[in-house]
Amino acid sequence: MKTISILGSTGSIGTQTLEVVRATGDFTVSALTAGSNIDLLEQQMREFHPAMAAVMQEEKAEELRERTRDLGIPVYAGMDGLLAAATEPSADMVVTAVVGMIGIRPTLKAIEAGKDIALANKETLVTAGHLVMEAAREKGVCIYPVDSEHSAVFQSLKQEDHSKISRILLTASGGPFRGRTLGELEKVQVEDALKHPNWSMGAKITIDSSTMVNKALEVIEARWLFDVDFDQIEVVVQPQSVIHSMVEFVDGGIMAQLGTPDMKLPIQYALYEGKRNYLGGDRLDFAALGQITFEAPDMETFCGLKLGYEAGRQGGSVPTVFNAANEFAVARFLERKIGYLDIVRMIEDALSVHKRIAHPDLEAILETEAETYRYLESRWCR
Ligand code: NAD
Ligand code: MG
């Protein structure tokens, strides 16, 4: 039986990971963590009996400790708690399902401790991809993608020679605002942006999908996971979200992975280290589907995608600014403090003043994040 720790177990990916654990009976759970949702974390502790749990907010951790005294499971708090969960000795694999750059330190610690990683937390690879991939190589640990596009690429590369990749074709649904003009986007409200046509996900990634910043983050994520140049990564809009991504090889042959939009498949594929196992749920009905259509992304209206490509190409600390500015802006948009198009304006603003660091270490990445936050706070939040 394999043992896993889940960082961010109360979120969309975290709860679906636990659904897979429940359905297969092939995994035990060593650590569970939440940001603040202690009601759900308590239920999860009672069902899965982890060796430890952690909550980001100190007061919530104390409350959970009181409530779960009968279980005898230690409950830790803050970043120390997250790091303890990432390195919990009995775990073979750590599922990184927290949202945002907060995942960098626990991911690096988990790798240092020799744990394989099922990686959902793309912001960590976007900002610290060079550190994560190098640490993984040194430690000989595997990083299994959970993001559906990257899992599709991983599946398409099975038994293929990576040096024969010609292009990675990352598919995108285009989000709820595909086909809209900038004038129409100016009026978008939080409720509109939270309605994704095909996938049900956490709030931050749902907003990112609507701006196509999510696809930009995924382009950078693919660069690190599959060690390809940005020129080899192309985004193709495929609105039905049936083709989860494709790989073209030097002979022009293309391998693709298709299926219904269900994150449990990539989650399960990662937990089983790239092996197939039964998974219930809907199957694709091609006759009912009728057609699969394709178009090029509109990088002028959805310029977050273009900015992300540019940030990725510049590399060093620039993707950190792109990501941190986006995290900051999306949080403000969700609090209704800025307009929808201000998200990309803030990213552009932060990028325009940044002095690039070529090879940022962990400290420089976290300082770049803090600096980006301070800058945007002073310019946009007074
Ligand atoms: P979510 O918001 O539903 O869940 C996030 C989890 O992290 C929750 O358990 C939350 O309590 C915890 N958390 C939030 N802020 C925290 C903080 N500051 N400190 C510690 N813990 C914190 O998010 P999600 O949709 O599950 O996404 C998680 C990650 O997976 C993201 O990086 C996202 O881009 C990626 N991802 C998600 C999906 C999806 O279908 N949801 C698909 C692909 C990739
Ligand atoms: Mg994705």
Side-chain angles (χ1 to χ4, degrees), residues 274-346:
K275 290 182 197 72
R276 299 219 179 261
N277 278 280
Y278 176 76
L279 175 67
D282 296 340
R283 299 298 188 245
L284 264 189
D285 179 342
F286 284 95
L289 178 68
Q291 57 176 356
I292 305 176
T293 57
F294 302 93
E295 55 195 75
D298 176 357
M299 296 225 212
E300 296 311 315
T301 309
F302 297 92
C303 62
L305 178 54
K306 193 161 79 181
L307 288 172
Y309 258 108
E310 284 165 14
R313 284 199 166 94
Q314 287 177 50
S317 56
V318 182
T320 294
V321 176
F322 176 80
N323 179 77
N326 180 59
E327 285 191 31
F328 185 91
V330 170
R332 296 303 169 286
F333 174 69
L334 286 169
E335 291 166 0
R336 296 162 205 274
K337 291 196 174 135
I338 60 164
Y340 183 69
L341 286 180
D342 290 335
I343 298 173
V344 270
R345 289 188 190 118
M346 286 167 87

Side-chain angles (χ1 to χ4, degrees), residues 99-120:
V99 57
M101 288 180 70
I102 191 89
I104 298 180
R105 290 181 59 203
T107 306
L108 287 170
K109 279 284 179 215
I111 294 171
E112 229 173 78
K115 318 283 189 200
D116 282 338
I117 306 289
L119 187 138

Side-chain angles (χ1 to χ4, degrees), residues 122 147-149 214-215 218:
K122 65 189 83 181
D147 212 343
S148 60
E149 293 77 2
N214 180 53
K215 209 47 59 179
E218 291 184 352

Side-chain angles (χ1 to χ4, degrees), residues 7-8 33 52 54 56 76-87 98 102-103 106:
L7 311 182
T33 86
M52 63 152 291
M56 205 59 190
Y76 300 103
M79 179 51 82
D80 287 347
L82 207 52
L83 296 178
T87 54
V98 290
I102 191 89

Side-chain angles (χ1 to χ4, degrees), residues 45-322:
M45 288 165 72
R46 293 190 182 282
E47 180 177 356
F48 295 98
H49 298 282
M52 63 152 291
V55 183
M56 205 59 190
Q57 291 179 11
E58 183 73 55
E59 321 80 71
K60 296 267 185 182
E62 185 50 36
E63 195 183 333
L64 185 63
R65 252 174 236 133
E66 288 297 323
R67 284 201 216 168
T68 58
R69 213 166 273 289
D70 60 307
L71 294 174
I73 298 172
V75 176
Y76 300 103
M79 179 51 82
D80 287 347
L82 207 52
L83 296 178
T87 54
E88 205 290 318
S90 62
D92 306 303
M93 177 183 265
V94 174
V95 182
T96 64
V98 290
V99 57
M101 288 180 70
I102 191 89
I104 298 180
R105 290 181 59 203
T107 306
L108 287 170
K109 279 284 179 215
I111 294 171
E112 229 173 78
K115 318 283 189 200
D116 282 338
I117 306 289
L119 187 138
N121 177 227
K122 65 189 83 181
E123 295 89 349
T124 283
L125 272 193
V126 168
T127 54
H130 56 300
L131 303 181
V132 169
M133 297 315 286
E134 189 186 309
R137 253 188 316 271
E138 269 174 19
K139 276 285 171 183
V141 312
C142 295
I143 298 191
Y144 297 100
V146 168
D147 212 343
S148 60
E149 293 77 2
H150 305 75
S151 177
V153 171
F154 179 49
Q155 293 175 58
S156 301
L157 282 172
K158 261 286 157 78
Q159 325 212 322
E160 297 284 357
D161 177 349
H162 289 210
S163 70
K164 300 290 160 65
I165 298 175
S166 143
R167 286 188 300 168
I168 286 178
L169 298 154
L170 280 188
T171 52
S173 70
F177 307 133
R178 186 174 56 91
R180 301 269 180 103
T181 63
L182 274 177
E184 290 166 335
L185 291 184
E186 194 76 69
K187 301 183 206 88
V188 162
Q189 298 297 309
V190 172
E191 295 69 29
D192 311 320
L194 281 177
K195 280 184 211 133
H196 193 279
N198 306 327
W199 297 94
S200 158
M201 310 178 284
K204 191 252 176 190
I205 185 177
T206 305
I207 303 297
D208 289 352
S209 300
S210 78
T211 56
M212 292 203 77
V213 165
N214 180 53
K215 209 47 59 179
L217 300 175
E218 291 184 352
V219 166
I220 304 174
E221 183 184 10
R223 179 260 172 273
W224 289 114
L225 282 173
F226 306 112
D227 195 21
V228 288
D229 292 334
F230 285 96
D231 293 340
Q232 289 176 284
I233 308 170
E234 191 173 318
V235 173
V236 181
V237 175
Q238 196 279 278
Q240 299 81 13
S241 296
V242 166
I243 301 181
H244 298 312
S245 277
M246 309 180 259
V247 181
E248 183 190 88
F249 296 92
V250 288
D251 58 0
I254 295 174
M255 300 298 285
Q257 187 254 331
L258 287 74
T260 56
D262 180 356
M263 284 307 296
K264 287 198 286 301
L265 192 156
I267 291 169
Q268 175 170 300
Y269 197 74
L271 295 189
Y272 283 109
E273 301 172 13
K275 290 182 197 72
R276 299 219 179 261
N277 278 280
Y278 176 76
L279 175 67
D282 296 340
R283 299 298 188 245
L284 264 189
D285 179 342
F286 284 95
L289 178 68
Q291 57 176 356
I292 305 176
T293 57
F294 302 93
E295 55 195 75
D298 176 357
M299 296 225 212
E300 296 311 315
T301 309
F302 297 92
C303 62
L305 178 54
K306 193 161 79 181
L307 288 172
Y309 258 108
E310 284 165 14
R313 284 199 166 94
Q314 287 177 50
S317 56
V318 182
T320 294
V321 176
F322 176 80

